[in-house]
Amino acid sequence: MMIQRRALTFAALSAFALFFSCSAKDKKVETDPVKTVANTAHITPSIKRPALRNPNVSVGGVYNSSKVSYSRVPTNLPYIALTFDDGPHPQNTPRLLDMLRERNIKATFYVVGKNVKVYPNIVRRIVAEGHEIGNHTLTHPNLSKMSSSAVRRELNAARDSIIATCGVKPRTMRPPYGALTSSQRSWIYNEYGYPTILWDVDPNDWKKPGASVVASRILNGTRNGSIVLAHDLHKQTIDAMPATLDGLLRKGFKFVTVSQLLSLNGSTAQ
Ligand code: NI
């Protein structure tokens, strides 16, 4: 009898201990900090201060486009437009935006409509930080091989996704691969008011030649009125940006958006 009672007491104590240990264990899980691996890939590299800073530029914004397509804008003023295509990208674009913000640089993003739908918050951040959004189609096809109605569907869907996401209407378009016939450029300009925006500086960053090569190609190729092509889809392109941006600022260039650059068309210094 005595042995039985002791056994029962032992069993009860064991059950209590087990219950207590489970509770304690659960509590521990709740209060422990969540441990995650540090993700240094998304942190903007520190830059030696004082930072080079783009001046506040109050040129145009309203332009009378005299041409249906541009690869640069003729001017002897030191204004340039940096363009980033094919995003937004979930890591690279926010990292790029940090770098631009640190230097007060405004750029133009030719976003792909299907990516706009996947990363709407990044599109909203692009607009909130003063950059310009351009139409780069919905699915990034070669428009020069497509019917007018198919081209229209691509441009409409991209435009509508941009407007629905950030409330801004794109003012220019860039054809994927730069592929657009001259008659297509004309009817798109007449129908949408979009000048076709190409480029005069192409670092071929999509071939991933290395960040320092991307930077030196842009630094060597950029002149007054240049439109620089780059892709915020590629990590290497973003890696090239601190040296590229600071190098261009050091050369005295002032960054404006594509629409601002177009408004300077033909402007010359006094
Ligand atoms: Ni593209």
Side-chain angles (χ1 to χ4, degrees):
M1 191 67 180
M2 196 65 168
I3 291 166
Q4 269 185 335
R5 196 175 291 157
R6 275 185 187 162
L8 276 171
T9 308
F10 179 74
L13 280 172
S14 301
F16 178 75
L18 186 67
F19 172 77
F20 184 78
S21 68
C22 285
S23 303
K25 193 180 170 193
D26 288 347
K27 200 176 173 187
K28 189 168 184 289
V29 169
E30 280 172 22
T31 53
D32 264 3
V34 179
K35 286 174 184 158
T36 52
V37 178
N39 188 354
T40 50
H42 304 165
I43 297 171
T44 303
S46 60
I47 296 157
K48 289 190 180 74
R49 297 289 129 183
L52 290 167
R53 193 176 160 83
N54 194 48
N56 289 324
V57 179
S58 59
V59 293
V62 178
Y63 61 92
N64 288 316
S65 176
S66 54
K67 287 166 62 184
V68 297
S69 93
Y70 292 86
S71 55
R72 66 179 289 270
V73 166
T75 176
N76 69 355
L77 301 175
Y79 292 102
I80 58 171
L82 208 50
T83 64
F84 294 96
D85 287 16
D86 302 350
H89 181 280
Q91 284 89 40
N92 296 332
T93 308
R95 208 176 136 224
L96 170 64
L97 288 170
D98 288 349
M99 294 171 182
L100 296 173
R101 189 173 56 184
E102 281 184 316
R103 296 166 177 81
N104 194 39
I105 288 172
K106 306 293 186 283
T108 303
F109 290 78
Y110 286 98
V111 293
V112 171
K114 63 180 182 182
N115 293 342
V116 169
K117 293 178 181 183
V118 181
Y119 306 111
N121 288 340
I122 302 178
V123 176
R124 287 192 271 269
R125 184 180 163 194
I126 289 171
V127 172
E129 296 187 359
H131 306 290
E132 184 172 326
I133 299 268
N135 193 329
H136 197 45
T137 74
L138 180 70
T139 66
H140 207 270
N142 184 335
L143 299 177
S144 67
K145 295 178 178 173
M146 291 167 60
S147 69
S148 300
S149 58
V151 169
R152 229 170 249 124
R153 275 197 298 276
E154 279 285 335
L155 292 175
N156 288 349
R159 176 199 60 198
D160 294 346
S161 70
I162 292 166
I163 293 172
T165 301
C166 63
V168 170
K169 200 172 165 183
R171 305 165 89 178
T172 67
M173 72 87 66
R174 171 170 284 160
Y177 318 106
L180 204 62
T181 67
S182 57
S183 69
Q184 285 177 317
R185 292 178 198 192
S186 293
W187 75 251
I188 288 172
Y189 179 67
N190 292 332
E191 208 169 302
Y192 293 86
Y194 295 155
T196 295
I197 305 300
L198 301 170
W199 55 85
D200 69 323
V201 182
D202 180 2
N204 277 306
D205 58 323
W206 58 274
K207 289 184 183 169
K208 301 181 182 171
S212 60
V213 174
V214 171
S216 66
R217 284 176 180 168
I218 294 176
L219 287 170
N220 291 333
T222 302
R223 55 193 170 135
N224 294 344
S226 276
I227 299 172
V228 180
L229 171 68
H231 297 81
D232 52 330
L233 217 49
H234 306 303
K235 181 180 176 293
Q236 212 176 75
T237 303
I238 313 306
D239 291 342
M241 281 304 124
T244 304
L245 302 173
D246 290 341
L248 291 169
L249 286 169
R250 218 171 274 127
K251 285 184 167 202
F253 288 114
K254 297 172 184 176
F255 294 82
V256 291
T257 68
V258 164
S259 288
Q260 287 180 311
L261 192 68
L262 297 190
S263 74
L264 287 166
N265 194 10
S267 298
T268 53
Q270 299 297 316

